[in-house]
Amino acid sequence: MTTPMEADGAGHARYTYRLRVSSTARTALEAEWAQCRWIWNECVARSKKAHAEDEKCGPARLDKMLTEARSANAWLRAGSSVPQQQLVRDFGKARAKALKDIKARLPMRQRAGMPKYKKKLEALPSLNYTKRGFRLKDGRLHLAGGISLTVVWSRDLPADPSSARVYRDSLGHWYISFVVPAQAQPLPETGRVIGIDWGVKETATTTSDAYDLPHAEHGKKAASKLTHHQRIMARRKPRKGQAGSKGYRRAKRRTAKLHKKVARQRQDTARKWAKRVVRDHDALAVENFRPKFLAKSSMAKKAADAAIGATKTALIEMGRKHGRTVHLVHPAHTTMDCAHCGARAKHALPLGMRTYTCTTCGVSSPRDKNSARVMLVRAGLNPAGAESGRPDGPRVRQAA
């Protein structure tokens, strides 16, 4: 199977494929991960020691530590140096980001934490390879260290990959994620634009009823089965330091399987809707909404099930892929402004009030529809004709 193409910085995209792993290859991959995990934990220990003794622990010292460790341990030398070097670089980036946030005095909730130890029974394997660490031959993936894997080619790679990541998910499935140059696939112009407002009752409300995205409630539909398996896990939870029983491991796997299914359903719904919106509109005015604060509100469970963040990401990636213009609009006061005359209400509307009535021009419309039209206005797009024909004069971009 393959997961959708994901943006990976400027000019790059990720293509992910399922791997068929033999018992021999699985043993080799787990051995590579054991070596990398040891190196990561050694980097964490060196970092803590450097902090206590007020010393530096930059990339050069970490590379030196890796060289010394491989020279002193035949067990480490048995593994490939490519994923080990990449792990040291990843550690250095994570540590530098944490120190940067501390220096900037960001609030604790916004800081990237310092790298922590990876526990054997909790950390999932993840191995990064540069171009010199892997090759594709006759449809098979050959990794440094003599590891050969079968790739499930659900679609072709558009270009030669520059790097790859092999990882295992919570269900024990192995995947390969290739980084390739992103290639735009322009769509024909339609002459239409659309405004999009995020919400909880409806995941997305647009300036056109035909493109509204209702709350799919995938998590709610799976809640009863999920609760059943979680109760079994709670009853059979092992004591600290003891291995879980066969029944506990079976319930844990079924719980992970349900979580994976719901995540894929949300992703599939988001991508199908995003493709339809991007296909029919030249420009999108999207509320730059960050739903993190909803996790501390009474709507946390429903907001998480709505997957606003994942849907917004899918829409932006789809727009970038097909060459559409995506305007990210600041969400401040979008529920207080009138989309017709621009007047702002004196007080914020309570959540229970679902109809917006302007006290200046008297126009009344559904609250979320008004906010979606405000997105168009703030993005500098012409909202005229959103619910009627095109006005006289030269052609302008019309809202759907």
Side-chain angles (χ1 to χ4, degrees):
M1 66 164 288
T2 177
T3 58
M5 183 188 75
E6 299 176 357
D8 185 47
H12 292 87
R14 285 187 178 272
Y15 282 77
T16 305
Y17 301 85
R18 180 79 177 269
L19 292 174
R20 302 298 184 198
V21 183
S22 65
S23 58
T24 304
R26 184 183 300 108
T27 301
L29 287 172
E30 289 174 350
E32 289 278 6
W33 170 241
Q35 296 156 357
C36 289
R37 190 179 64 84
W38 185 89
I39 292 171
W40 177 279
N41 291 341
E42 188 68 14
C43 289
V44 174
R46 293 292 178 95
S47 175
K48 289 180 179 291
K49 181 181 177 182
H51 176 72
E53 298 177 358
D54 197 21
E55 296 180 353
K56 291 184 178 181
C57 186
R61 291 205 175 190
L62 293 176
D63 286 338
K64 184 178 179 182
M65 181 273 296
L66 175 61
T67 303
E68 293 173 351
R70 284 180 62 87
S71 299
N73 296 281
W75 171 65
L76 285 178
R77 290 197 303 273
S80 171
S81 63
V82 177
Q84 296 176 13
Q85 290 171 345
Q86 289 301 112
L87 197 80
V88 169
R89 292 188 179 93
D90 292 342
F91 177 87
K93 290 179 182 178
R95 187 175 185 273
K97 178 64 169 65
L99 293 176
K100 181 180 178 181
D101 291 349
I102 293 173
K103 188 175 181 180
R105 297 183 179 274
L106 292 178
M108 290 297 295
R109 65 181 183 276
Q110 297 180 10
R111 291 182 187 179
M114 292 291 288
K116 298 180 180 180
Y117 291 107
K118 292 184 182 292
K119 298 182 180 179
K120 182 178 180 179
L121 300 179
E122 295 180 5
L124 295 174
S126 178
L127 305 169
N128 293 322
Y129 293 87
T130 56
K131 198 168 185 177
R132 68 186 181 91
F134 72 95
R135 64 189 177 94
L136 296 170
K137 184 178 180 182
D138 298 330
R140 290 182 63 83
L141 174 67
H142 300 271
L143 300 176
I147 304 174
S148 180
L149 304 168
T150 301
V151 183
V152 182
W153 294 108
S154 52
R155 59 175 173 172
D156 295 332
L157 279 172
D160 293 333
S162 58
S163 63
R165 181 169 74 97
V166 177
Y167 65 95
R168 190 184 72 196
D169 67 4
S170 58
L171 294 177
H173 299 157
W174 289 88
Y175 296 89
I176 177 72
S177 180
F178 296 107
V179 176
V180 300
Q183 296 181 352
Q185 302 174 15
L187 292 172
E189 292 190 5
T190 62
R192 296 193 293 176
V193 297
I194 191 170
I196 300 170
D197 177 73
W198 305 111
V200 175
K201 186 177 180 181
E202 284 191 337
T203 303
T205 303
T206 69
T207 48
S208 174
D209 294 340
Y211 296 94
D212 289 350
L213 179 63
H215 195 319
E217 298 184 339
H218 294 303
K220 185 178 180 180
K221 294 172 184 175
S224 59
K225 290 183 179 180
L226 189 61
T227 302
H228 173 70
H229 298 314
Q230 287 175 335
R231 283 176 177 170
I232 295 176
M233 288 177 60
R235 288 197 300 267
R236 302 178 181 180
K237 185 178 180 181
R239 293 182 179 179
K240 189 174 182 179
Q242 293 183 351
S245 65
K246 186 176 180 180
Y248 174 82
R249 293 196 302 270
R250 183 168 57 246
K252 185 177 180 180
R253 179 177 175 81
R254 288 175 177 172
T255 300
K257 195 173 182 179
L258 269 175
H259 279 299
K260 190 83 171 180
K261 178 182 177 181
V262 171
R264 286 173 172 168
Q265 287 176 327
R266 290 169 178 165
Q267 187 182 58
D268 182 66
T269 300
R271 285 185 55 81
K272 286 179 178 177
W273 173 78
K275 181 61 179 285
R276 192 163 65 94
V277 171
V278 168
R279 182 191 62 211
D280 297 341
H281 301 89
D282 294 342
L284 293 73
V286 183
E287 180 184 14
N288 194 14
F289 183 68
R290 298 181 180 180
K292 187 176 180 180
F293 76 94
L294 291 174
K296 298 181 180 180
S297 69
S298 59
M299 299 182 292
K301 189 173 182 179
K302 190 168 185 178
D305 196 11
I308 298 173
T311 307
K312 173 188 165 188
T313 301
L315 185 65
I316 294 173
E317 289 176 355
M318 194 67 69
R320 183 186 298 119
K321 176 182 176 181
H322 293 292
R324 299 305 200 193
T325 304
V326 180
H327 301 272
L328 295 179
V329 180
H330 196 282
H333 308 297
T334 52
T335 58
M336 298 171 62
D337 290 357
C338 176
H340 292 80
C341 68
R344 178 170 297 174
K346 293 182 179 180
H347 305 286
L349 275 68
L351 287 175
M353 187 178 295
R354 306 311 303 170
T355 302
Y356 177 88
T357 303
C358 180
T359 56
T360 302
C361 65
V363 172
S364 181
S365 63
R367 170 181 176 148
D368 294 337
K369 290 290 182 183
N370 177 74
S371 297
R373 293 178 66 91
V374 169
M375 303 300 162
L376 285 176
V377 175
R378 290 192 179 182
L381 304 175
N382 188 355
E387 298 173 359
S388 60
R390 181 168 63 90
D392 296 334
R395 180 177 181 180
V396 294
R397 285 181 170 178
Q398 303 293 317

